[in-house]
Amino acid sequence: MTILVTGGSGFIGSNFILYWMKKYPADEVINLDKLTYAGNPENLKSVENEKNYKFVRGDICNRELVDKLMKDADIVCHFAAESHVDRSIKKPSAFMETNIIGTHVLLESALKNKVKKFHHISTDEVFGSLELDDKSKFSEETAYNPRSPYAASKAASDHLVRTYFHTYGLPITITNCSNNFGPFQYPEKLIPLVVTNLLEGKKVPVYGDGQNIRDWLYVEDHCKAIDLVLHEGQIGETYCVGGLTCDMSNLGIVKKILRILGKDESFITFVKDRPGHDRKYAVDWSKIKNELGWEPVADFDILLEKTVNWYQKNEDWWKRLKSETFQKYYKEQYSDI
Ligand code: NAD
Ligand code: TDX
């Protein structure tokens, strides 16, 4: 079987390719990635010379290229996206291009080439924001209410994917997952930014009052959920995927990382809040548990420490990423520290 993975050189995509090639060594994997600032071929160094792995540098908006690759694909696993909320606030256009137009190009081509399955990776951010004291959770029934350009572009892509099922019968599935963490995450996102800043002896920026809550999932658990949905998910269905953290604030996470690295709280700097900052996410993953038997396997604290250790051991990997271009972004984004 041949699986076409889009965005396979990014954080979750590369973890997924490594997971898939280990578990299904007989499958052919094609990775279509534009290698934006977030795409990094180094993540896949361990498989780049394997006969059943093929890397193609290209844009999912390029119809001709997508059509050519789609001809060989049995299934598509679509990760490629602009993924950082802060960048979407500063420059939304690329998010509309890749996340909406790019997804549409893939859908048209998948239909034309009669792929057996099209799996779309999405986010819990499409559901909007909960209040801190709200005990409810996002589920497959929750109405969409995106509040950032990133979330709106992902919401639009989800709608397009469903449209291709209802209107044209394309065999699709969707997962809406909460915040991932683990190896190979670009150091613009909260956990790798905090860890790498501390390893460099720098302060860590916390937006607003630090009380915002996210639902955290280890990236390998996300890969397992996608694997299950690809193999056993019902065509046309959406599955929400989330973690085991219960109301864990950003400040709480930063303090855990400080403890793991033996640093005190003087490294915390409160900075101006993200515009439209979603207050809380919480995901009800009972559908995928009840129907497919998926659940996250391990404890957040253990996995957080494992992740911190990975960044400690892989300094070369993240130091290269925190280069001049990153410093320019950092200065603009965090002008008050
Ligand atoms: P990432 O930013 O680390 O990686 C994105 C990858 O897509 C990069 O390799 C980049 O080069 C590639 N890409 C971007 N534009 C492209 C284009 N036009 N054509 C081809 N390739 C392109 O993102 P991530 O965190 O790995 O997220 C992957 C997917 O999972 C995204 O769809 C995101 O919305 C979704 N998601 C992420 C999280 C999370 O916590 N990171 C949670 C839920 C869902
Ligand atoms: O410097 C920071 N300080 C800070 O307080 C950064 C970068 C973030 N934060 C806060 C904002 C959020 O409340 O930490 C929380 C997590 O921020 P991000 O790591 O930027 O993730 P988030 O905005 O929640 O979105 C992530 O999860 C859902 C991914 O980037 C998305 O791609 C995914 O869909």
Side-chain angles (χ1 to χ4, degrees), residues 5-51:
V5 177
T6 70
S9 303
F11 163 48
I12 307 176
S14 57
N15 276 283
F16 178 78
I17 288 180
L18 295 173
Y19 165 93
W20 193 270
M21 290 187 71
K22 193 165 168 202
K23 188 155 176 209
Y24 304 107
D27 284 356
E28 304 282 327
V29 176
I30 304 171
N31 172 17
L32 169 61
D33 197 297
K34 187 178 174 182
L35 298 186
T36 65
Y37 76 95
N40 186 352
E42 262 193 66
N43 302 0
L44 293 163
K45 234 184 164 33
S46 61
V47 297
E48 69 183 8
N49 294 321
E50 297 293 337
K51 284 202 183 65

Side-chain angles (χ1 to χ4, degrees), residues 2 7 21 44 54 77 116 120 149 181-182 189 204 228 233 241 244 264 268 274 276-278 282 296 307 310 322 337:
T2 299
M21 290 187 71
L44 293 163
K54 179 171 153 191
C77 197
K116 294 190 187 80
H120 177 59
F181 68 103
K189 306 282 164 59
V204 295
L228 256 185
V241 180
L244 292 167
D264 63 48
I268 297 172
R274 172 185 280 175
H277 195 175
D278 289 343
T307 301
W310 187 87
K322 283 186 131 182
I337 55 170

Side-chain angles (χ1 to χ4, degrees), residues 83-86 123-125 150 179 188-190 193 205-207 212 214 216 250 274 277 281 334:
S83 70
H84 193 38
V85 173
D86 294 323
T123 170
D124 60 356
E125 303 205 10
Y150 163 70
N179 285 58
E188 66 191 349
K189 306 282 164 59
L190 180 71
L193 181 73
V206 174
Y207 294 159
N212 300 60
R214 296 292 181 265
W216 295 94
N250 294 338
R274 172 185 280 175
H277 195 175
Y281 304 145
Y334 302 98

Side-chain angles (χ1 to χ4, degrees), residues 85-86 88-90 147-149 207 272-278 333:
V85 173
D86 294 323
S88 84
I89 294 167
K90 291 243 156 75
R147 291 157 33 103
S148 73
Y207 294 159
K272 92 173 166 290
D273 209 354
R274 172 185 280 175
H277 195 175
D278 289 343
Q333 180 63 28

Side-chain angles (χ1 to χ4, degrees), residues 213-232:
I213 289 171
R214 296 292 181 265
D215 178 318
W216 295 94
L217 180 70
Y218 192 60
V219 63
E220 195 182 330
D221 279 335
H222 187 187
C223 294
K224 286 181 184 160
I226 297 166
D227 179 4
L228 256 185
V229 172
L230 271 169
H231 283 101
E232 292 170 37

Side-chain angles (χ1 to χ4, degrees), residues 119 139-140 173-177 217 221-234 237-243 283-296:
H119 182 68
S139 76
E140 294 78 6
T173 43
I174 299 179
T175 39
N176 288 92
C177 187
L217 180 70
D221 279 335
H222 187 187
C223 294
K224 286 181 184 160
I226 297 166
D227 179 4
L228 256 185
V229 172
L230 271 169
H231 283 101
E232 292 170 37
Q234 230 180 299
E237 289 294 310
T238 293
Y239 299 87
C240 283
V241 180
V283 174
D284 170 359
W285 38 268
S286 52
K287 177 177 172 180
I288 188 170
K289 181 178 189 313
N290 296 337
E291 292 185 12
L292 306 181
W294 176 89
E295 56 187 319

